[in-house]
Amino acid sequence: MARYKLVVAAIVLALAQIGFLGSMIVGRAAILRDGKEVLLKVEPVDPRDLLRGDYVRLGYDISRIEVEKIANLPQGELTSVEGPVVVRLKKDPDGYWRATSAWLGSAETPAPGDEVDILGHISNGWSLTPGSTVSVDYGIERFYVPEGEGLAIEEEMRKRNADAEPELRSFGIKVAVDSSGTGQIKALMDGDTMLFEEPLY
């Protein structure tokens, strides 16, 4: 009888784990499938060695937000407190989406149809004095590629840049953003050329 209970408990635990993992996968796929697409200009963290192993470390021009763009700065506070930040993006004529404003916590108004709010996170200690910038993490700072694909992507970027400097040129990341502001990377872009697309599942 005790053995039977142990087997039942193990099956229930396994099903709970499978359900949890399944919900994570389905949630991510829903964002990729239904989220509004934005193209973010990438600022490589280390332009001399962008690809490390089987993932790409990324920084964006929206990773640093000018304090003047934060609409609800707390009165009398000189440094940031850890918490969420909403950054409003608008598409520029060059096709990249850039920050137009931001709010600590939540946005005061919904984004108009031609803009998108993306949810990020700010850590403690960033200066909130005029002229300063704060660093925002969006959870999209790493782009994983299948094993062995990283070198091929790097070589393709270098080949496209053969007539220019030997370092990598600017490229973009296509991100899907859902209605709550959560972003998921969809694709690695070089101009209009898709170098790698993230599968739904």
Side-chain angles (χ1 to χ4, degrees):
M1 189 62 148
R3 185 175 180 190
Y4 173 76
K5 288 182 181 178
L6 186 61
V7 169
V8 169
I11 290 172
V12 168
L13 180 61
L15 290 174
Q17 289 175 338
I18 290 169
F20 176 73
L21 291 173
S23 69
M24 287 176 51
I25 292 168
V26 169
R28 181 183 161 282
I31 294 172
L32 291 174
R33 185 181 56 247
D34 303 326
K36 185 165 183 174
E37 285 186 7
V38 299
L39 182 64
L40 300 177
K41 187 171 185 180
V42 173
E43 294 180 348
V45 173
D46 181 1
R48 291 162 298 157
D49 187 17
L50 179 63
L51 298 172
R52 297 176 184 271
D54 293 318
Y55 70 89
V56 183
R57 275 185 47 187
L58 303 168
Y60 303 95
D61 59 358
I62 64 165
S63 295
R64 304 282 293 183
I65 302 296
E66 297 90 356
V67 167
E68 288 78 10
K69 288 187 177 173
I70 302 174
N72 62 342
L73 283 175
Q75 292 292 324
E77 295 291 329
L78 298 178
T79 58
S80 65
V81 176
E82 183 174 351
V85 59
V86 174
V87 178
R88 184 153 295 167
L89 307 176
K90 188 167 186 172
K91 190 175 185 178
D92 274 355
D94 64 2
Y96 290 106
W97 291 65
R98 292 188 171 81
T100 59
S101 55
W103 293 266
L104 299 175
S106 59
E108 295 172 353
T109 58
D114 62 340
E115 297 180 339
V116 172
D117 286 345
I118 187 167
L119 183 62
H121 186 269
I122 187 173
S123 56
N124 285 324
W126 289 100
S127 173
L128 298 179
T129 58
S132 301
T133 60
V134 296
S135 180
V136 180
D137 291 321
Y138 299 95
I140 53 173
E141 285 73 26
R142 283 189 179 186
F143 180 53
Y144 289 89
V145 295
E147 189 172 343
E149 292 282 334
L151 185 58
I153 292 170
E154 182 179 14
E155 287 174 359
E156 177 67 17
M157 283 192 246
R158 289 187 190 280
K159 183 175 74 174
R160 291 173 183 274
N161 200 30
D163 296 330
E165 295 297 322
E167 60 188 359
L168 301 175
R169 72 177 186 182
S170 295
F171 59 99
I173 292 289
K174 192 179 287 187
V175 176
V177 183
D178 71 5
S179 59
S180 70
T182 302
Q184 291 287 339
I185 293 176
K186 277 189 96 164
L188 174 64
M189 306 293 293
D190 183 1
D192 293 333
T193 304
M194 185 180 300
L195 298 180
F196 189 83
E197 184 174 21
E198 187 71 22
L200 279 180
Y201 297 99

